[in-house]
């Protein structure tokens, strides 16, 4: 780890201002990913700006029109165990509690969850080429071990996946990301927050330099009756998803009137397909319709040498999780 300066920001304005004076700096909250990256010399900021003293972004508050605002500094565990989140957004609770370990969830912040970086082996191995770590050097995963890599939305530059569970549920729920930057505050739709790799895989998201996530808004529509988060992985805890699915429905008179479906472990961002969601509306929630939904989502999937199995796995996961969400099958 290279030496670095350590500064403390007392509010979002000061955090942004400190960044402007230290352009090779990083904000730090829980540090559960950043410290690993620094130890491995993948990330080499000359300054850390500690944002943990910004009390205004460390709360969960109810929004006037319904919905909840999750402060960026609130820990993942405190979010999952908040009684309002548990009651109204059980899909989000399931997803958060499927992630990492209890110790990590106690430390990791909500904002940091959105900003965690891929767990591609080569990204962490500074002896190997990696376009995400060093643009223009190549992608070691394309001809290397790619079992955990993307089957949707990848590019010739990068086939990494975004590793979060929490974000898959946030994508399905249609959350909003609130930020503060040099040009003031802005709101980013969750679908527009993370990026596909294209030819700039070094950019994970659409934040501007020095822009700070202040909170995440959950909409009033909570999908708290028919929902399920299913995570498939190599071991049952403390492992990243090979495939995960967040599914939620509104059902009336035996028909789906609204549907949400987002996938994790599949792409450089949580993968949501609006065409597939529209297809489900007006249909019965059964295995045949979920199978057809999976075909819509996966027709553009492309496997690599070691991960083509993910296509079939994802289809099965979509069907199974749909049935769990409508209580036709238990987990
Ligand atoms: Fe790097 Fe992306 Fe290739 Fe992994 S998949 S080696 S992160 S460029």
């Amino acid at each position: 780890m290279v030496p670095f300066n350590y500064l403390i920001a007392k509010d979002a304005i000061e955090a942004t201002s400190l960044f402007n004076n230290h352009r090779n700096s990083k904000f730090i909250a829980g540090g559960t990913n950043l410290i690993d990256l620094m130890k491995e010399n993948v990330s080499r900021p000359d300054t850390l700006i500690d944002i943990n003293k910004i009390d205004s972004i460390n709360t969960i508050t109810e929004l006037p029109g319904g919905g909840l605002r999750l402060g960026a500094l609130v820990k993942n565990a405190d979010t999952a165990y908040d009684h309002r989140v548990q009651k109204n957004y059980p899909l989000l609770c399931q997803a958060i509690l499927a992630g990492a370990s209890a110790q990590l969830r106690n430390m990791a912040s909500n904002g940091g969850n959105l900003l965690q970086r891929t767990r591609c082996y080569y990204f962490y191995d500074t002896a190997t080429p990696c376009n995400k770590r060093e643009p223009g050097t190549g992608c070691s995963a394309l001809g290397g071990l790619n079992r955990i890599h993307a089957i949707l939305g990848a590019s010739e530059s990068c086939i990494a996946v975004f590793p979060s569970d929490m974000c898959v549920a946030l994508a399905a729920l249609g959350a909003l990301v609130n930020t503060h930057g040099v040009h003031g505050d802005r709101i980013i739709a969750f679908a527009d927050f993370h990026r596909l790799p294209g030819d700039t895989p070094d950019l994970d998201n659409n934040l501007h330099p020095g822009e700070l996530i202040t909170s995440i808004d959950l909409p009033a529509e909570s999908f708290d009756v028919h929902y399920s988060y299913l995570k498939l992985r190599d071991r049952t805890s403390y492992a990243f998803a090979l495939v995960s699915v967040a599914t939620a429905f509104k059902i009336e008179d035996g028909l789906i009137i609204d549907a949400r479906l987002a996938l994790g472990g599949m792409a450089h961002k949580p993968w949501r397909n609006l065409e597939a969601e529209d297809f489900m509306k007006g249909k019965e929630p059964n295995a045949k319709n979920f199978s057809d939904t999976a075909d819509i989502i996966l027709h553009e999937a492309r496997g690599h040498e070691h991960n083509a199995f993910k296509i079939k796995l994802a289809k099965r996961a979509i069907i199974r999780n749909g049935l769990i969400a409508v209580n036709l099958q238990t987990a």
Side-chain angles (χ1 to χ4, degrees):
M1 186 186 287
V2 298
F4 58 88
N5 298 312
Y6 175 75
L7 303 172
I8 297 175
K10 65 178 182 309
D11 55 38
I13 294 171
E14 186 179 42
T16 305
S17 168
L18 287 171
F19 180 89
N20 275 337
N21 295 329
H22 304 272
R23 300 293 290 190
N24 185 27
S25 64
K26 294 276 186 194
F27 298 131
I28 185 165
T32 53
N33 187 207
L34 179 58
I35 298 301
D36 284 347
L37 291 163
M38 291 173 68
K39 284 191 212 167
E40 299 291 341
N41 276 330
V42 175
S43 184
R44 284 168 286 194
D46 58 30
T47 305
L48 289 184
I49 302 170
D50 190 331
I51 59 171
N52 285 294
K53 301 286 189 207
I54 308 177
D55 293 339
S56 63
I57 62 171
N58 198 6
T59 58
I60 296 178
T61 53
E62 292 168 28
L63 293 169
L68 283 180
R69 174 161 292 171
L70 310 176
L73 273 183
V74 178
K75 302 301 187 190
N76 288 180
D78 291 335
T79 302
Y81 293 120
D82 182 277
H83 70 280
R84 295 160 295 184
V85 180
Q86 289 190 318
K87 178 173 182 289
N88 296 317
Y89 303 95
L91 176 67
L92 180 60
C93 296
Q94 283 187 345
I96 293 174
L97 295 176
S101 65
Q103 292 89 341
L104 284 166
R105 295 192 296 267
N106 284 339
M107 197 67 199
S109 68
N110 289 337
N113 195 300
L114 274 62
L115 300 178
Q116 63 181 299
R117 308 212 67 190
T118 184
R119 265 51 175 201
C120 172
Y121 332 110
Y122 304 104
F123 178 65
Y124 288 79
D125 180 356
T126 56
T128 61
C130 170
N131 285 325
K132 183 179 282 295
R133 179 170 25 80
E134 287 184 58
T137 56
C139 172
S140 296
L142 275 173
L145 294 172
N146 47 44
R147 183 171 182 275
I148 65 172
H149 289 75
I151 60 170
L152 287 165
S155 73
E156 291 303 311
S157 296
C158 179
I159 57 172
V161 298
F162 181 61
S164 169
D165 292 292
M166 179 181 184
C167 289
V168 181
L170 291 173
L173 290 167
L176 300 171
V177 184
N178 299 303
T179 69
H180 178 78
V182 284
H183 301 300
D185 297 340
R186 69 172 176 143
I187 302 170
I188 307 171
F190 207 83
D192 299 327
F193 184 83
H194 295 101
R195 297 166 60 99
L196 292 178
D199 56 7
T200 54
D202 50 314
L203 302 176
D204 292 343
N205 57 60
N206 287 311
L207 286 178
H208 302 314
E211 192 172 12
L212 180 72
I213 298 174
T214 53
S215 60
I216 301 150
D217 286 355
L218 302 177
E221 179 55 74
S222 58
F223 292 94
D224 58 347
V225 177
H226 298 292
Y227 63 88
S228 178
Y229 184 73
L230 177 65
K231 179 176 182 178
L232 304 178
R233 45 188 159 172
D234 282 331
R235 57 174 188 262
T236 53
S237 75
Y238 198 31
F240 294 99
L242 289 167
V243 172
S244 69
V245 190
T247 307
F249 300 121
K250 289 181 76 174
I251 296 176
E252 284 183 13
D253 301 326
L255 298 178
I256 296 169
I257 60 164
D258 199 359
R260 300 291 177 86
L261 200 160
L263 296 167
M266 307 284 281
H268 203 257
K269 61 187 288 185
W271 194 264
R272 194 172 159 199
N273 182 317
L274 299 184
E275 180 191 350
E277 293 179 3
D278 283 343
F279 170 81
M280 286 189 273
K281 292 176 189 169
K283 296 200 168 53
E284 291 182 13
N286 59 37
K288 169 70 170 65
N289 286 328
F290 297 148
S291 174
D292 290 345
T293 302
D295 289 341
I296 293 171
I297 296 170
L298 295 167
H299 80 276
E300 57 186 321
R302 176 176 163 237
H304 301 277
E305 185 177 358
H306 306 116
N307 73 350
F309 74 94
K310 278 191 176 187
I311 300 173
K312 192 177 282 185
L313 188 67
K315 179 166 183 173
R316 290 174 175 167
I318 291 167
I319 297 169
R320 179 175 158 200
N321 203 42
L323 295 175
I324 295 170
V326 291
N327 299 318
L328 297 178
Q329 175 184 305
T330 59

